[in-house]
């Protein structure tokens, strides 16, 4: 059975229905994939509501994000404030922190492949990692305490990710675990 189209060509209704059904199925698949990707991305966002119990704090700490997502840290001591800052920095930038450490140590090719070897060689030749280690040993006690507290906050977020209480950031999930 065929009918005439408005342009005078023969038209097969079953073919139009088949194309429409195919487009409907493809649209459904795209919507489902997009929904799944959005769910994965949403799960990878930092926990901004509720309470978390993390090790390493001396007292209760409050982290509130404003309407732009900017974290504000309220702590009872400077040490806990630096811990909180490290924690939220890791929540928001763990993949970036991981990459910067690798770049300074000349280890990006481990995750990026051979195209990163030249940059790794340069970082190792210039000794960025060794220079950082040497500077750390020369710090006064007060600065060292601040950096240790900040690092403890970063480590606390990494523990949340490793324990499964938080989702691995998407870039790290694709390259490596923290």
């Amino acid at each position: 059975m065929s009918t005439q189209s408005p342009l005078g060509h023969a038209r097969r209704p079953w073919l139009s229905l088949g194309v429409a059904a195919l487009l409907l199925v493809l649209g459904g698949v795209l919507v489902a994939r997009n929904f799944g990707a959005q769910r994965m991305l949403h799960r990878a966002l930092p926990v901004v509501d509720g309470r978390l119990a993390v090790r390493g704090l001396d007292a209760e700490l409050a982290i509130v994000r404003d309407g732009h997502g900017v974290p504000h840290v309220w702590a009872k001591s400077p040490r806990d404030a630096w811990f909180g800052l490290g924690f939220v920095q890791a929540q928001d930038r763990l993949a970036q922190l991981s990459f910067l450490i690798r770049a300074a140590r000349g280890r990006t090719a481990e995750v990026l492949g051979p195209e990163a070897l030249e940059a790794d060689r340069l970082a190792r030749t210039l000794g960025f990692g060794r220079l950082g280690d040497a500077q750390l040993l020369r710090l006064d006690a007060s600065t060292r305490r601040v950096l240790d507290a900040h690092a403890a906050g970063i480590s606390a977020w990494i523990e949340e990710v490793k324990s499964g209480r938080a989702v691995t950031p998407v870039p790290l999930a694709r390259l490596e675990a923290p």
Side-chain angles (χ1 to χ4, degrees):
M1 171 178 161
S2 74
T3 60
Q4 288 293 108
S5 74
L7 298 175
H9 301 300
R11 196 170 64 172
R12 294 179 181 85
W14 57 268
L15 183 60
S16 296
L17 288 174
V19 169
L22 178 63
L23 290 174
L24 187 61
V25 168
L26 286 175
V29 168
L30 289 174
V31 167
R33 287 191 70 188
N34 186 39
F35 180 72
Q38 285 180 344
R39 276 189 49 209
M40 181 182 71
L41 289 174
H42 181 72
R43 287 185 60 224
L45 294 174
V47 175
V48 295
D49 294 320
R51 298 173 72 84
L52 293 174
V54 296
R55 283 185 246 160
L57 288 168
D58 296 329
E60 189 170 343
L61 172 79
I63 299 171
V64 177
R65 291 180 184 262
D66 64 22
H68 300 287
V70 176
H72 300 268
V73 178
W74 280 273
K76 293 183 180 178
S77 70
R79 186 214 171 274
D80 282 354
W82 284 105
F83 181 101
L85 181 63
F87 190 84
V88 296
Q89 185 177 16
Q91 277 186 315
D92 293 347
R93 302 271 183 224
L94 188 57
Q96 182 182 15
L97 290 170
S98 176
F99 184 79
L100 289 172
I101 291 167
R102 285 185 176 282
R105 301 257 176 225
R107 297 183 52 205
T108 59
E110 294 174 6
V111 293
L112 298 179
E115 61 273 6
L117 282 173
E118 187 176 335
D120 283 354
R121 282 190 192 107
L122 179 61
R124 288 180 183 204
T125 299
L126 296 175
F128 293 140
R130 289 188 311 275
L131 288 169
D133 293 341
Q135 289 299 314
L136 188 62
L137 295 174
R138 300 177 69 193
L139 293 176
D140 62 273
S142 172
T143 304
R144 182 62 191 248
R145 281 192 300 274
V146 164
L147 293 179
D148 285 345
H150 186 263
I154 293 169
S155 295
W157 178 251
I158 291 171
E159 184 56 37
E160 291 296 302
V161 172
K162 285 183 176 181
S163 71
R165 292 184 297 268
V167 178
T168 302
V170 174
L172 280 182
R174 291 188 174 205
L175 293 176
E176 62 175 315

